[in-house]
Amino acid sequence: AIYRSMLTVVFLDHWMACIWTLQARIFGIDGSWLTYNGYCEVEDGEEMCSGAWNLYTASLYWATATVTSIGYGDISASPGNAAEQIVAVLLMLCSAVCWTVVIATFCGVIANWSPASTAFRCTMDQLNHFMRAEALPMDLRQRLREYFREMRQIREVVWSKDLLDKMSPSLQSEVVLACNEKWLRRVHYFRSVSESYLIDLALQLQVSLFAPGELLPHSELYVVHKGYALYGGRVKKPGDSWGEDMLLASHQLRRDWCGLALNYLEVWHCSRTVLLRTLSLFPADYRRVRRLIIFLALHREV
């Protein structure tokens, strides 16, 4: 849209420059802007003008100053030349309409340059208004602002899912696999499953953000996307996971430990119900995962 607007201005400048010079020749050079500004002279009925390039640049200069509403005034319609003044008025009106469209296009492009940034600023304005209305303590306000700044990335993930919903099934599968296969394969259960199952699972995952010091509920599968967590005495970094043992049928064999967010922690997670439901749609993958579950159960029992 910006390129089209710029081309529109260039073409409009060119044609206005041509019309501005042409009207002077049609209505007579003597008494026109050409003689008034010294670009032409008329002696004994003979017209002597500057070169074509000088005339064109002068006309283009006037056209550009008119279109962009600058209007220096050093080149203008000659006083007392009604015909030239009428032509100038018509060209000014035409350029005003076109320039308005150009400005509106630029404003629209800039306003929608980054939808995520626009939505984030609106959210922060609402948050500030809420905190002032409720007279929240300053330390709590600071923590809320920091939390919502970190939430910005999650909003982009939500918009990405909205884009995926608008894609065809084939394109959706390719994009989901390209974005998620690398880190999903790092989960022990998913190293040998089919690509179809990975795609279906990735579409079911939820994203959440936890503030520093928050506990992550157990009985879910977690994959760290951003930040660091403490689980079972070990620090989990981006790409690490825990909670795979939620598939064990025996509660005694599961580790009912909660993860602890060390900083702002962004995780992908899904429940046991979701994982089993997706596995039921892929019998071959279900058998592979079940063998791993049995091996894990024997290892925990021993």
PDB file of all heavy atoms in Angstrom, residues 55-76:
ATOM      1  N   LEU A  55      11.781  24.018 -17.862  1.00  0.00           N
ATOM      2  CA  LEU A  55      10.334  24.221 -17.709  1.00  0.00           C
ATOM      3  C   LEU A  55       9.693  23.059 -16.953  1.00  0.00           C
ATOM      4  O   LEU A  55       8.812  23.256 -16.107  1.00  0.00           O
ATOM      5  CB  LEU A  55       9.672  24.392 -19.080  1.00  0.00           C
ATOM      6  CG  LEU A  55      10.073  25.622 -19.894  1.00  0.00           C
ATOM      7  CD1 LEU A  55       9.305  25.653 -21.207  1.00  0.00           C
ATOM      8  CD2 LEU A  55       9.806  26.898 -19.096  1.00  0.00           C
ATOM      9  N   TYR A  56      10.141  21.854 -17.279  1.00  0.00           N
ATOM     10  CA  TYR A  56       9.554  20.674 -16.618  1.00  0.00           C
ATOM     11  C   TYR A  56       9.898  20.658 -15.131  1.00  0.00           C
ATOM     12  O   TYR A  56       9.031  20.391 -14.291  1.00  0.00           O
ATOM     13  CB  TYR A  56      10.042  19.395 -17.281  1.00  0.00           C
ATOM     14  CG  TYR A  56       9.524  18.140 -16.604  1.00  0.00           C
ATOM     15  CD1 TYR A  56       8.197  17.749 -16.747  1.00  0.00           C
ATOM     16  CD2 TYR A  56      10.357  17.367 -15.797  1.00  0.00           C
ATOM     17  CE1 TYR A  56       7.707  16.610 -16.124  1.00  0.00           C
ATOM     18  CE2 TYR A  56       9.881  16.225 -15.161  1.00  0.00           C
ATOM     19  CZ  TYR A  56       8.551  15.857 -15.329  1.00  0.00           C
ATOM     20  OH  TYR A  56       8.067  14.737 -14.699  1.00  0.00           O
ATOM     21  N   THR A  57      11.152  20.927 -14.778  1.00  0.00           N
ATOM     22  CA  THR A  57      11.536  20.917 -13.364  1.00  0.00           C
ATOM     23  C   THR A  57      10.804  22.004 -12.579  1.00  0.00           C
ATOM     24  O   THR A  57      10.401  21.794 -11.425  1.00  0.00           O
ATOM     25  CB  THR A  57      13.049  21.084 -13.196  1.00  0.00           C
ATOM     26  OG1 THR A  57      13.470  22.265 -13.905  1.00  0.00           O
ATOM     27  CG2 THR A  57      13.798  19.872 -13.740  1.00  0.00           C
ATOM     28  N   ALA A  58      10.604  23.169 -13.206  1.00  0.00           N
ATOM     29  CA  ALA A  58       9.859  24.232 -12.524  1.00  0.00           C
ATOM     30  C   ALA A  58       8.404  23.825 -12.308  1.00  0.00           C
ATOM     31  O   ALA A  58       7.828  24.043 -11.232  1.00  0.00           O
ATOM     32  CB  ALA A  58       9.942  25.529 -13.338  1.00  0.00           C
ATOM     33  N   SER A  59       7.807  23.210 -13.328  1.00  0.00           N
ATOM     34  CA  SER A  59       6.413  22.741 -13.196  1.00  0.00           C
ATOM     35  C   SER A  59       6.313  21.625 -12.166  1.00  0.00           C
ATOM     36  O   SER A  59       5.364  21.575 -11.377  1.00  0.00           O
ATOM     37  CB  SER A  59       5.898  22.250 -14.550  1.00  0.00           C
ATOM     38  OG  SER A  59       5.890  23.295 -15.500  1.00  0.00           O
ATOM     39  N   LEU A  60       7.290  20.712 -12.187  1.00  0.00           N
ATOM     40  CA  LEU A  60       7.285  19.611 -11.225  1.00  0.00           C
ATOM     41  C   LEU A  60       7.459  20.124  -9.798  1.00  0.00           C
ATOM     42  O   LEU A  60       6.837  19.616  -8.862  1.00  0.00           O
ATOM     43  CB  LEU A  60       8.400  18.619 -11.573  1.00  0.00           C
ATOM     44  CG  LEU A  60       8.435  17.317 -10.762  1.00  0.00           C
ATOM     45  CD1 LEU A  60       7.181  16.493 -11.028  1.00  0.00           C
ATOM     46  CD2 LEU A  60       9.685  16.501 -11.103  1.00  0.00           C
ATOM     47  N   TYR A  61       8.289  21.138  -9.646  1.00  0.00           N
ATOM     48  CA  TYR A  61       8.478  21.758  -8.335  1.00  0.00           C
ATOM     49  C   TYR A  61       7.158  22.341  -7.828  1.00  0.00           C
ATOM     50  O   TYR A  61       6.786  22.135  -6.666  1.00  0.00           O
ATOM     51  CB  TYR A  61       9.543  22.845  -8.466  1.00  0.00           C
ATOM     52  CG  TYR A  61       9.683  23.742  -7.264  1.00  0.00           C
ATOM     53  CD1 TYR A  61      10.366  23.317  -6.124  1.00  0.00           C
ATOM     54  CD2 TYR A  61       9.149  25.024  -7.262  1.00  0.00           C
ATOM     55  CE1 TYR A  61      10.505  24.151  -5.024  1.00  0.00           C
ATOM     56  CE2 TYR A  61       9.278  25.857  -6.169  1.00  0.00           C
ATOM     57  CZ  TYR A  61       9.956  25.422  -5.059  1.00  0.00           C
ATOM     58  OH  TYR A  61      10.088  26.240  -3.960  1.00  0.00           O
ATOM     59  N   TRP A  62       6.437  23.054  -8.698  1.00  0.00           N
ATOM     60  CA  TRP A  62       5.145  23.626  -8.298  1.00  0.00           C
ATOM     61  C   TRP A  62       4.140  22.514  -7.982  1.00  0.00           C
ATOM     62  O   TRP A  62       3.400  22.596  -6.990  1.00  0.00           O
ATOM     63  CB  TRP A  62       4.593  24.502  -9.436  1.00  0.00           C
ATOM     64  CG  TRP A  62       3.201  25.010  -9.141  1.00  0.00           C
ATOM     65  CD1 TRP A  62       2.871  26.123  -8.449  1.00  0.00           C
ATOM     66  CD2 TRP A  62       1.976  24.392  -9.529  1.00  0.00           C
ATOM     67  NE1 TRP A  62       1.509  26.264  -8.364  1.00  0.00           N
ATOM     68  CE2 TRP A  62       0.928  25.204  -9.017  1.00  0.00           C
ATOM     69  CE3 TRP A  62       1.638  23.249 -10.242  1.00  0.00           C
ATOM     70  CZ2 TRP A  62      -0.413  24.894  -9.208  1.00  0.00           C
ATOM     71  CZ3 TRP A  62       0.295  22.950 -10.418  1.00  0.00           C
ATOM     72  CH2 TRP A  62      -0.723  23.754  -9.917  1.00  0.00           C
ATOM     73  N   ALA A  63       4.125  21.455  -8.815  1.00  0.00           N
ATOM     74  CA  ALA A  63       3.174  20.367  -8.616  1.00  0.00           C
ATOM     75  C   ALA A  63       3.431  19.648  -7.290  1.00  0.00           C
ATOM     76  O   ALA A  63       2.504  19.343  -6.536  1.00  0.00           O
ATOM     77  CB  ALA A  63       3.251  19.381  -9.772  1.00  0.00           C
ATOM     78  N   THR A  64       4.711  19.394  -6.978  1.00  0.00           N
ATOM     79  CA  THR A  64       5.046  18.695  -5.735  1.00  0.00           C
ATOM     80  C   THR A  64       4.689  19.538  -4.515  1.00  0.00           C
ATOM     81  O   THR A  64       4.131  19.028  -3.531  1.00  0.00           O
ATOM     82  CB  THR A  64       6.540  18.341  -5.713  1.00  0.00           C
ATOM     83  OG1 THR A  64       6.867  17.558  -6.872  1.00  0.00           O
ATOM     84  CG2 THR A  64       6.895  17.556  -4.462  1.00  0.00           C
ATOM     85  N   ALA A  65       4.990  20.842  -4.577  1.00  0.00           N
ATOM     86  CA  ALA A  65       4.644  21.729  -3.464  1.00  0.00           C
ATOM     87  C   ALA A  65       3.133  21.820  -3.281  1.00  0.00           C
ATOM     88  O   ALA A  65       2.640  21.951  -2.157  1.00  0.00           O
ATOM     89  CB  ALA A  65       5.233  23.119  -3.711  1.00  0.00           C
ATOM     90  N   THR A  66       2.393  21.710  -4.378  1.00  0.00           N
ATOM     91  CA  THR A  66       0.933  21.776  -4.299  1.00  0.00           C
ATOM     92  C   THR A  66       0.350  20.472  -3.759  1.00  0.00           C
ATOM     93  O   THR A  66      -0.505  20.475  -2.877  1.00  0.00           O
ATOM     94  CB  THR A  66       0.334  22.072  -5.679  1.00  0.00           C
ATOM     95  OG1 THR A  66       0.874  23.308  -6.167  1.00  0.00           O
ATOM     96  CG2 THR A  66      -1.172  22.181  -5.619  1.00  0.00           C
ATOM     97  N   VAL A  67       0.815  19.330  -4.302  1.00  0.00           N
ATOM     98  CA  VAL A  67       0.281  18.030  -3.885  1.00  0.00           C
ATOM     99  C   VAL A  67       0.538  17.776  -2.411  1.00  0.00           C
ATOM    100  O   VAL A  67      -0.340  17.308  -1.674  1.00  0.00           O
ATOM    101  CB  VAL A  67       0.884  16.901  -4.747  1.00  0.00           C
ATOM    102  CG1 VAL A  67       0.541  15.546  -4.159  1.00  0.00           C
ATOM    103  CG2 VAL A  67       0.384  17.004  -6.176  1.00  0.00           C
ATOM    104  N   THR A  68       1.733  18.082  -1.951  1.00  0.00           N
ATOM    105  CA  THR A  68       2.091  17.813  -0.556  1.00  0.00           C
ATOM    106  C   THR A  68       1.616  18.907   0.388  1.00  0.00           C
ATOM    107  O   THR A  68       1.950  18.886   1.572  1.00  0.00           O
ATOM    108  CB  THR A  68       3.616  17.666  -0.427  1.00  0.00           C
ATOM    109  OG1 THR A  68       4.258  18.848  -0.934  1.00  0.00           O
ATOM    110  CG2 THR A  68       4.105  16.459  -1.208  1.00  0.00           C
ATOM    111  N   SER A  69       0.842  19.872  -0.142  1.00  0.00           N
ATOM    112  CA  SER A  69       0.248  20.985   0.625  1.00  0.00           C
ATOM    113  C   SER A  69       1.293  21.879   1.283  1.00  0.00           C
ATOM    114  O   SER A  69       0.997  22.552   2.273  1.00  0.00           O
ATOM    115  CB  SER A  69      -0.723  20.452   1.688  1.00  0.00           C
ATOM    116  OG  SER A  69      -0.022  19.776   2.718  1.00  0.00           O
ATOM    117  N   ILE A  70       2.517  21.883   0.750  1.00  0.00           N
ATOM    118  CA  ILE A  70       3.553  22.778   1.279  1.00  0.00           C
ATOM    119  C   ILE A  70       3.299  24.196   0.781  1.00  0.00           C
ATOM    120  O   ILE A  70       3.218  25.139   1.553  1.00  0.00           O
ATOM    121  CB  ILE A  70       4.951  22.286   0.877  1.00  0.00           C
ATOM    122  CG1 ILE A  70       5.234  20.929   1.526  1.00  0.00           C
ATOM    123  CG2 ILE A  70       6.013  23.296   1.281  1.00  0.00           C
ATOM    124  CD1 ILE A  70       6.513  20.277   1.074  1.00  0.00           C
ATOM    125  N   GLY A  71       3.202  24.342  -0.555  1.00  0.00           N
ATOM    126  CA  GLY A  71       2.844  25.629  -1.152  1.00  0.00           C
ATOM    127  C   GLY A  71       3.766  26.773  -0.784  1.00  0.00           C
ATOM    128  O   GLY A  71       3.377  27.704  -0.082  1.00  0.00           O
ATOM    129  N   TYR A  72       5.020  26.705  -1.257  1.00  0.00           N
ATOM    130  CA  TYR A  72       5.960  27.793  -0.944  1.00  0.00           C
ATOM    131  C   TYR A  72       5.487  29.141  -1.491  1.00  0.00           C
ATOM    132  O   TYR A  72       5.710  30.176  -0.897  1.00  0.00           O
ATOM    133  CB  TYR A  72       7.343  27.466  -1.525  1.00  0.00           C
ATOM    134  CG  TYR A  72       8.030  26.346  -0.799  1.00  0.00           C
ATOM    135  CD1 TYR A  72       8.316  25.155  -1.440  1.00  0.00           C
ATOM    136  CD2 TYR A  72       8.406  26.479   0.540  1.00  0.00           C
ATOM    137  CE1 TYR A  72       8.955  24.115  -0.768  1.00  0.00           C
ATOM    138  CE2 TYR A  72       9.037  25.452   1.209  1.00  0.00           C
ATOM    139  CZ  TYR A  72       9.316  24.272   0.546  1.00  0.00           C
ATOM    140  OH  TYR A  72       9.948  23.258   1.202  1.00  0.00           O
ATOM    141  N   GLY A  73       4.849  29.124  -2.668  1.00  0.00           N
ATOM    142  CA  GLY A  73       4.328  30.365  -3.215  1.00  0.00           C
ATOM    143  C   GLY A  73       5.274  31.099  -4.139  1.00  0.00           C
ATOM    144  O   GLY A  73       4.909  32.135  -4.717  1.00  0.00           O
ATOM    145  N   ASP A  74       6.518  30.600  -4.286  1.00  0.00           N
ATOM    146  CA  ASP A  74       7.439  31.283  -5.190  1.00  0.00           C
ATOM    147  C   ASP A  74       7.054  31.088  -6.647  1.00  0.00           C
ATOM    148  O   ASP A  74       7.374  31.910  -7.503  1.00  0.00           O
ATOM    149  CB  ASP A  74       8.878  30.819  -4.953  1.00  0.00           C
ATOM    150  CG  ASP A  74       9.000  29.306  -4.875  1.00  0.00           C
ATOM    151  OD1 ASP A  74       7.950  28.625  -4.831  1.00  0.00           O
ATOM    152  OD2 ASP A  74      10.129  28.785  -4.859  1.00  0.00           O
ATOM    153  N   ILE A  75       6.358  29.976  -6.957  1.00  0.00           N
ATOM    154  CA  ILE A  75       5.759  29.773  -8.277  1.00  0.00           C
ATOM    155  C   ILE A  75       4.264  29.619  -8.061  1.00  0.00           C
ATOM    156  O   ILE A  75       3.828  28.745  -7.311  1.00  0.00           O
ATOM    157  CB  ILE A  75       6.336  28.532  -8.979  1.00  0.00           C
ATOM    158  CG1 ILE A  75       7.835  28.691  -9.235  1.00  0.00           C
ATOM    159  CG2 ILE A  75       5.602  28.282 -10.290  1.00  0.00           C
ATOM    160  CD1 ILE A  75       8.479  27.495  -9.910  1.00  0.00           C
ATOM    161  N   SER A  76       3.502  30.477  -8.687  1.00  0.00           N
ATOM    162  CA  SER A  76       2.052  30.455  -8.489  1.00  0.00           C
ATOM    163  C   SER A  76       1.379  31.025  -9.732  1.00  0.00           C
ATOM    164  O   SER A  76       2.044  31.460 -10.677  1.00  0.00           O
ATOM    165  CB  SER A  76       1.663  31.278  -7.250  1.00  0.00           C
ATOM    166  OG  SER A  76       2.095  32.623  -7.402  1.00  0.00           O
TER     167      SER A  76
END
